[in-house]
Amino acid sequence: LFVRKSGNDLLVLLLYVDDIILIGNNSVLIQQTIIALSREFDMKDLGQLTYFLGLQVQYTSMGIHVNQSKYATDLLLKACMTQCKPCSTPCLPTAKLLKFDGTPLSDPTLYRSLVGGLQYLTFSRPDIAFAVNTLCQFMHTPTDTHFAAVKRVLRYLAGTLTHGIHFTSSDVHLQAYSDADWAGDVNDRRSTTGYVVFLGNNPISWCAKKQSTVSRSSTEAEYRALAITAAELSWLRQILRDLHIVLDRPPVL
């Protein structure tokens, strides 16, 4: 990430290996930067951002819609589930996956590959974050029961391929929501933290993650979730400061 500010002009360059996003509020400065980079590197200007590392960007009159429909379709193709029957939820709300439930897979390669792909898909699909986090906990010795849970997530994706996040113009204000269950994991009785952070009306960060230690009360589990969310808010506030974005009031948790 490279940020340049001169007076009222702001330029932000995001680089991942050989893929670049260049944004700013001065089109002349952006073009000058592209020309300067082209002198040093063999590069091509693809114009307005529409695709970046699997993220598809669509522009509407109301804002920007980001999804990963092509990436999700590729996952379904890898699992040979392009013709599967969709389901309405990524997991059963009352079902608990046990560590040794079912028969161990003779070759867990596909399981690990699909779950790794689902992790990347959570960049635009917070609705599958909890289910994917649960599946990640069985990477070492997955069973056929765990693989059936992966297939359910994929069936859910088959019916919601175009789902994503819609970003609209709103005020610059950070607010976060956190929650936790208590001893929800039946394998080790650890709790799970969940949070989502909004910048104005737009979600910009979210997480579903098992806590590192066992909480001895529901209050302790909730405070751990609050602490994790507060740390995320602090980090995001610093990122916004680096981007020269000033918050008009303190974040709300």
Side-chain angles (χ1 to χ4, degrees):
L1 179 66
F2 170 78
V3 181
R4 175 187 173 187
K5 185 174 176 62
S6 176
N8 293 324
D9 295 333
L10 179 65
L11 182 75
V12 180
L13 186 149
L14 179 64
L15 171 67
Y16 183 84
V17 188
D18 59 354
D19 293 297
I20 297 174
I21 296 179
L22 188 62
I23 61 173
N25 57 2
N26 187 322
S27 58
V28 175
L29 182 59
I30 292 175
Q31 195 60 40
Q32 289 174 347
T33 304
I34 293 174
I35 294 172
L37 288 171
S38 299
R39 293 196 190 105
E40 300 294 332
F41 307 101
D42 183 16
M43 60 177 288
K44 183 179 181 181
D45 180 12
L46 299 179
Q48 191 177 46
L49 178 66
T50 57
Y51 191 82
F52 184 76
L53 302 178
L55 296 170
Q56 295 164 248
V57 181
Q58 299 172 324
Y59 301 88
T60 69
S61 58
M62 301 297 293
I64 300 175
H65 183 73
V66 178
N67 67 66
Q68 293 171 275
S69 59
K70 182 182 182 301
Y71 185 83
T73 302
D74 292 341
L75 281 180
L76 291 171
L77 184 62
K78 179 186 290 188
C80 300
M81 293 180 60
T82 54
Q83 302 299 320
C84 66
K85 181 180 179 181
C87 61
S88 57
T89 58
C91 62
L92 294 172
T94 57
K96 301 291 184 179
L97 290 177
L98 300 175
K99 186 175 182 180
F100 299 109
D101 188 20
T103 304
L105 299 176
S106 57
D107 183 6
T109 303
L110 181 60
Y111 178 92
R112 292 167 180 166
S113 177
L114 290 173
V115 174
L118 289 172
Q119 276 188 293
Y120 188 71
L121 195 60
T122 60
F123 283 3
S124 66
R125 296 295 298 266
D127 51 334
I128 65 171
F130 174 77
V132 173
N133 173 259
T134 301
L135 296 172
C136 288
Q137 298 169 30
F138 306 104
M139 288 290 212
H140 185 60
T141 53
T143 68
D144 56 351
T145 302
H146 305 147
F147 195 73
V150 173
K151 288 184 175 180
R152 182 179 180 91
V153 176
L154 292 172
R155 288 174 54 210
Y156 171 72
L157 292 176
T160 58
L161 284 176
T162 59
H163 283 202
I165 301 176
H166 199 74
F167 295 96
T168 59
S169 178
S170 61
D171 63 340
V172 182
H173 172 54
L174 278 178
Q175 56 182 343
Y177 299 86
S178 77
D179 198 5
D181 64 1
W182 179 44
D185 191 303
V186 294
N187 296 292
D188 57 17
R189 288 306 174 187
R190 284 191 278 171
S191 308
T192 299
T193 292
Y195 69 75
V196 59
V197 182
F198 287 83
L199 180 62
N201 299 324
N202 305 300
I204 59 171
S205 180
W206 49 86
C207 178
K209 185 177 182 180
K210 193 161 66 171
Q211 295 179 1
S212 57
T213 59
V214 176
S215 296
R216 291 171 290 180
S217 67
S218 58
T219 302
E220 184 177 344
E222 295 284 0
Y223 271 109
R224 289 184 186 277
L226 286 168
I228 293 170
T229 311
E232 181 71 8
L233 272 175
S234 179
W235 179 76
L236 288 170
R237 191 177 186 182
Q238 183 60 52
I239 290 291
L240 291 173
R241 186 179 293 117
D242 292 342
L243 293 171
H244 300 276
I245 298 175
V246 180
L247 300 178
D248 55 3
R249 53 189 183 275
V252 174
L253 173 57

